[in-house]
Amino acid sequence: MNILGINAYHGNASAAIVCDGQLIAAVEEERFNRVKYAAGFPAQAIRYCLKEAGLTLKDVDHVAVPRNPYARLATKLFYAVRMPSFARERAKVMVKFTGIREALGQTFDADAEKIEAKFHRIEHHQAHLASAFYVSPFERAALLSADGLGDFASTMWGSGEGSRMQIDGAIAFPHSLGLYYSAVTQYLGFLKFGDEYKVMGLAAYGQPEQLDAFRDIVRSNGRGFRLGLDYFTHHRTGPEMSWAEADKTPVLGRMFSEEMPRRLGPTRAPEEPLEQRHRNLAASLQARLEEVYLGMLKKLAERTRLKAVCLAGGVAFNCVANGKIFDATGFEQVYVHPAAGDGGLSIGAAFYVWHQVLGKPRSFAMNHAYWGPGFSRDEVNRAVEASSLPGKGYSVEELAEGELLRRTAGIIADGKILGWFQGRAEWGPRALGNRSIVADPRRAEMKEILNRRVKHREIFRPFAPSILEEATGAWFEKSHPSPFMTMAYAVRPEKRERIPAPTHVDGTGRLQTVAREANSRYWRLIKAFEELTDVPVVLNTSFNDNEPIVCRPEEALDCFLRTQMDALVLDDFLITRS
Ligand SMILES: [Fe+2]
């Protein structure tokens, strides 16, 4: 039985294929069309997923789409009357959404009417919850999804057992932790879609001096929270989103009202310098998010009396808050879907159909994130040859693994910047050792070098450590696995000066714990680095330069040559300056 999940006409358009309950492939459209957070119809992602699974469109039994126009219909109609322009915008998206069958037909040059697969509409947050629970290793778990907005809700919680999920509550538009974070992110002068994680990084440089004001912006109540709507505009105008086109990154209109600068001080324009006041505001924003998010999780743990929790939705990318769950709530185990944002909805919708609709038992756990395109030795070789590297002053060697890792670990330990491209691409926004740039964590200057030569990003943003899973407790104050880089833990004080480059200003690191069985070659690379340096950690940042993470070897070579990396490993090929 083959189930195709499609997240279309929504940020992070993506596709996933689940065959007899096993995930075979999943990828976001941005990796193909090279537009960050691309919306629209993920035609290339769907083609890739079917090809990887060896299927044609005729073999697909079910198509799962994470949007249900009938969910919260009364609320939708209520706001449609009050916000006609928003209603018109949503209606346009809805027309596209109902055309998924036609778009699928066009993608494969097939008659849409003859597609035999059964179509399912899964409510946005139920798909988020399914994306976390049904691929988690837990038989029973509490569930929480929190994001900006989806099917007119921002938050949903419940519990899962075996192949069933039970929904216990939800918070509807206009109250939203995701929109709260987005609105204050805009107010602080970060206007691009997806900039929230920059402000989370900035928060570590400030003090939550304005926490009281933020307690008025997000107010606690018995169910969790509600927004102080005076500070926002989205409940009057609707969040102005345009994300129906595949070739564009989604754009969000302004979401905060004049009340926000009245209470917090002047709005920062993007070109204005960052002052301590802005850092303190970011810290206050983050502190209030943590109070509310961790408070909801604490109540969820008490109500369900479960020890494990599964998280998804864009708010679940807040690794700083996630890292505090163990101390702040009764939960002892946490699973965050690697594509916790809307990209993950395609997997969630597909597994929802397999378990919740079809009642099939659980037989799959996602313990690694390598579900995207991989390339054969010949494809990699062709890309290398086409780049005429020797003529550009580079030498190319094809090496056996032992020699490759020994040489590569030496390159990193020498303070060089290494492009590291292996196997199948990661699912979700984090590079986890298959499309990564790797560097020496012991050198404090590495952050500045990486920014100047390759990444060109804000200096206040931290870089992440990848650590051998078994060494986690010796280097960090928590040892719970974080295979998808979704948790930030404090680095042990005595270790901070040994890995200054990926240690953030507040002493934490957004770590990836690398298990040998999840990615044996990356694990062995870090092990080889440890043998040279006594440090079981490398600095890991995504293989890109202000673009989606590279997918194909050609893009890796292009990024390598365009920036000033020192060496590149493409599967078994080692490329160095000669
Ligand atoms: Fe969402």
Side-chain angles (χ1 to χ4, degrees), residues 10 124-125 128 145 147-150 313-314 340-342 345:
H10 202 82
H124 186 99
H125 281 278
H128 271 315
S145 166
D147 67 2
L149 186 65
D342 289 343
L345 292 170

mmCIF file of all heavy atoms in Angstrom, residues 10 124-125 128 145 147-150 313-314 340-342 345, ligand 1:
data_model
loop_
_atom_site.group_PDB
_atom_site.id
_atom_site.type_symbol
_atom_site.label_atom_id
_atom_site.label_comp_id
_atom_site.label_asym_id
_atom_site.label_seq_id
_atom_site.Cartn_x
_atom_site.Cartn_y
_atom_site.Cartn_z
ATOM 1 N N HIS A 10 1.712 26.187 0.204
ATOM 2 C CA HIS A 10 1.937 26.505 1.606
ATOM 3 C C HIS A 10 3.454 26.559 1.757
ATOM 4 O O HIS A 10 4.154 25.884 1.013
ATOM 5 C CB HIS A 10 1.353 25.355 2.440
ATOM 6 C CG HIS A 10 1.039 25.756 3.828
ATOM 7 N ND1 HIS A 10 -0.114 26.400 4.158
ATOM 8 C CD2 HIS A 10 1.734 25.631 4.975
ATOM 9 C CE1 HIS A 10 -0.124 26.635 5.459
ATOM 10 N NE2 HIS A 10 0.992 26.179 5.975
ATOM 11 N N HIS A 124 -4.424 20.447 9.452
ATOM 12 C CA HIS A 124 -3.033 20.905 9.577
ATOM 13 C C HIS A 124 -2.343 20.400 10.863
ATOM 14 O O HIS A 124 -1.304 19.743 10.799
ATOM 15 C CB HIS A 124 -3.052 22.438 9.540
ATOM 16 C CG HIS A 124 -1.720 23.087 9.504
ATOM 17 N ND1 HIS A 124 -1.148 23.540 8.327
ATOM 18 C CD2 HIS A 124 -0.818 23.376 10.474
ATOM 19 C CE1 HIS A 124 0.021 24.082 8.595
ATOM 20 N NE2 HIS A 124 0.257 23.996 9.885
ATOM 21 N N HIS A 125 -2.923 20.717 12.010
ATOM 22 C CA HIS A 125 -2.222 20.367 13.260
ATOM 23 C C HIS A 125 -2.288 18.872 13.572
ATOM 24 O O HIS A 125 -1.392 18.343 14.241
ATOM 25 C CB HIS A 125 -2.759 21.189 14.431
ATOM 26 C CG HIS A 125 -2.193 22.576 14.433
ATOM 27 N ND1 HIS A 125 -0.954 22.877 14.956
ATOM 28 C CD2 HIS A 125 -2.665 23.728 13.901
ATOM 29 C CE1 HIS A 125 -0.703 24.160 14.778
ATOM 30 N NE2 HIS A 125 -1.721 24.705 14.131
ATOM 31 N N HIS A 128 0.630 17.715 11.788
ATOM 32 C CA HIS A 128 1.849 18.000 12.569
ATOM 33 C C HIS A 128 2.029 16.952 13.677
ATOM 34 O O HIS A 128 3.118 16.398 13.860
ATOM 35 C CB HIS A 128 1.753 19.382 13.238
ATOM 36 C CG HIS A 128 2.264 20.518 12.407
ATOM 37 N ND1 HIS A 128 3.443 20.468 11.707
ATOM 38 C CD2 HIS A 128 1.760 21.771 12.198
ATOM 39 C CE1 HIS A 128 3.639 21.639 11.093
ATOM 40 N NE2 HIS A 128 2.633 22.440 11.361
ATOM 41 N N SER A 145 1.515 20.388 19.203
ATOM 42 C CA SER A 145 1.903 21.085 17.980
ATOM 43 C C SER A 145 1.647 22.569 18.198
ATOM 44 O O SER A 145 0.589 22.955 18.700
ATOM 45 C CB SER A 145 1.049 20.568 16.815
ATOM 46 O OG SER A 145 1.162 21.428 15.707
ATOM 47 N N ASP A 147 2.423 26.439 16.154
ATOM 48 C CA ASP A 147 3.025 27.140 15.017
ATOM 49 C C ASP A 147 2.365 28.502 14.853
ATOM 50 O O ASP A 147 1.759 29.023 15.797
ATOM 51 C CB ASP A 147 2.928 26.289 13.739
ATOM 52 C CG ASP A 147 1.496 26.112 13.248
ATOM 53 O OD1 ASP A 147 0.561 26.674 13.852
ATOM 54 O OD2 ASP A 147 1.319 25.400 12.233
ATOM 55 N N GLY A 148 2.478 29.086 13.679
ATOM 56 C CA GLY A 148 1.839 30.361 13.403
ATOM 57 C C GLY A 148 0.346 30.167 13.236
ATOM 58 O O GLY A 148 -0.462 30.653 14.040
ATOM 59 N N LEU A 149 0.000 29.403 12.230
ATOM 60 C CA LEU A 149 -1.413 29.214 11.916
ATOM 61 C C LEU A 149 -1.544 28.108 10.883
ATOM 62 O O LEU A 149 -0.773 28.059 9.931
ATOM 63 C CB LEU A 149 -1.962 30.510 11.321
ATOM 64 C CG LEU A 149 -3.461 30.589 11.035
ATOM 65 C CD1 LEU A 149 -4.239 30.519 12.341
ATOM 66 C CD2 LEU A 149 -3.773 31.887 10.310
ATOM 67 N N GLY A 150 -2.528 27.237 11.065
ATOM 68 C CA GLY A 150 -2.823 26.237 10.052
ATOM 69 C C GLY A 150 -4.239 25.745 10.244
ATOM 70 O O GLY A 150 -4.606 25.372 11.361
ATOM 71 N N GLY A 313 5.392 21.451 14.582
ATOM 72 C CA GLY A 313 4.980 22.840 14.395
ATOM 73 C C GLY A 313 6.209 23.723 14.493
ATOM 74 O O GLY A 313 7.200 23.360 15.152
ATOM 75 N N GLY A 314 6.175 24.883 13.850
ATOM 76 C CA GLY A 314 7.360 25.738 13.778
ATOM 77 C C GLY A 314 7.933 26.113 15.137
ATOM 78 O O GLY A 314 9.148 26.254 15.295
ATOM 79 N N ALA A 340 10.080 19.971 11.686
ATOM 80 C CA ALA A 340 8.955 20.310 12.572
ATOM 81 C C ALA A 340 8.035 21.352 11.946
ATOM 82 O O ALA A 340 6.857 21.421 12.269
ATOM 83 C CB ALA A 340 9.488 20.808 13.908
ATOM 84 N N GLY A 341 8.550 22.175 11.047
ATOM 85 C CA GLY A 341 7.733 23.180 10.370
ATOM 86 C C GLY A 341 6.817 22.532 9.350
ATOM 87 O O GLY A 341 6.602 21.310 9.353
ATOM 88 N N ASP A 342 6.291 23.330 8.445
ATOM 89 C CA ASP A 342 5.257 22.800 7.566
ATOM 90 C C ASP A 342 5.786 21.812 6.528
ATOM 91 O O ASP A 342 5.010 21.052 5.951
ATOM 92 C CB ASP A 342 4.500 23.954 6.908
ATOM 93 C CG ASP A 342 3.619 24.665 7.932
ATOM 94 O OD1 ASP A 342 3.367 24.070 9.003
ATOM 95 O OD2 ASP A 342 3.201 25.807 7.674
ATOM 96 N N LEU A 345 4.682 18.283 7.191
ATOM 97 C CA LEU A 345 3.264 17.916 7.064
ATOM 98 C C LEU A 345 3.023 16.796 6.053
ATOM 99 O O LEU A 345 2.076 16.026 6.193
ATOM 100 C CB LEU A 345 2.442 19.148 6.661
ATOM 101 C CG LEU A 345 2.341 20.252 7.720
ATOM 102 C CD1 LEU A 345 1.728 21.509 7.113
ATOM 103 C CD2 LEU A 345 1.520 19.781 8.915
HETATM 104 FE FE FE B 1 2.195 24.486 10.645
#
